[in-house]
Amino acid sequence: MDCIFCKIANGQVSAKKVYENKKILAFQDMNPVAPVHILFIPKEHICCINDINIGNSEIIGNIFCSIAEIARKMGLGKGYRVISNCGEDGGQTVEHLHFHLIGGKKLGWPGVD
Ligand code: AMP
Ligand code: ZN
């Protein structure tokens, strides 16, 4: 399978890593939309939110605990946003589950029409 985020997770493709533990990885988005834009991914390939189940759900808690920790470290005390685009209509372009941590400025609410 040709998955860019699996390749980042296994070191085949380089990325600016921000945080890593046994199960998850966080790295800088290469096309940031705000002063802070970090992607959190499971190291194992999970396609999107649709593929989260009781068997792999622990990893989601792991990701969110890490998001909170990194947000604190990045000085996002005034707030931030976490987004996971799912599927074509959700705007997902990389089919490996990821959570965008976006902040560092006052965010507008994106298009939901
Ligand atoms: P999404 O559109 O929600 O699937 O988000 C995919 C995100 O991955 C986009 O914000 C891209 O800028 C980012 N991205 C894609 N390839 C890479 C890469 N090799 N390194 C860092 N970020 C990437
Ligand atoms: Zn993958």
Side-chain angles (χ1 to χ4, degrees):
M1 188 180 29
D2 197 30
C3 172
I4 184 75
F5 286 180
C6 279
K7 287 181 178 167
I8 288 174
N10 69 26
Q12 269 180 272
V13 168
S14 65
K16 289 182 186 159
K17 288 184 189 176
V18 175
Y19 175 79
E20 182 171 21
N21 67 31
K22 239 176 113 178
K23 296 278 184 188
I24 73 162
L25 176 65
F27 54 94
Q28 303 283 0
D29 194 295
M30 69 179 189
N31 198 6
V33 299
V36 175
H37 188 168
I38 297 167
L39 299 174
F40 289 74
I41 66 167
K43 288 185 174 175
E44 72 179 69
H45 185 85
I46 299 171
C47 191
C48 64
I49 291 175
N50 288 336
D51 282 0
I52 296 171
N53 56 52
I54 203 70
N56 61 24
S57 61
E58 202 178 312
I59 216 159
I60 308 305
N62 190 334
I63 283 176
F64 272 81
C65 292
S66 306
I67 287 173
E69 191 184 322
I70 298 302
R72 265 192 301 276
K73 284 193 178 147
M74 298 300 250
L76 300 181
K78 283 176 79 182
Y80 54 87
R81 186 169 295 152
V82 177
I83 297 171
S84 186
N85 297 322
C86 182
E88 193 184 339
D89 280 2
Q92 184 176 10
T93 59
V94 176
E95 291 184 354
H96 179 127
L97 180 66
H98 54 282
F99 295 86
H100 300 252
L101 168 62
I102 294 168
K105 69 172 189 181
K106 184 92 176 162
L107 298 167
W109 186 240
V112 288
D113 48 309

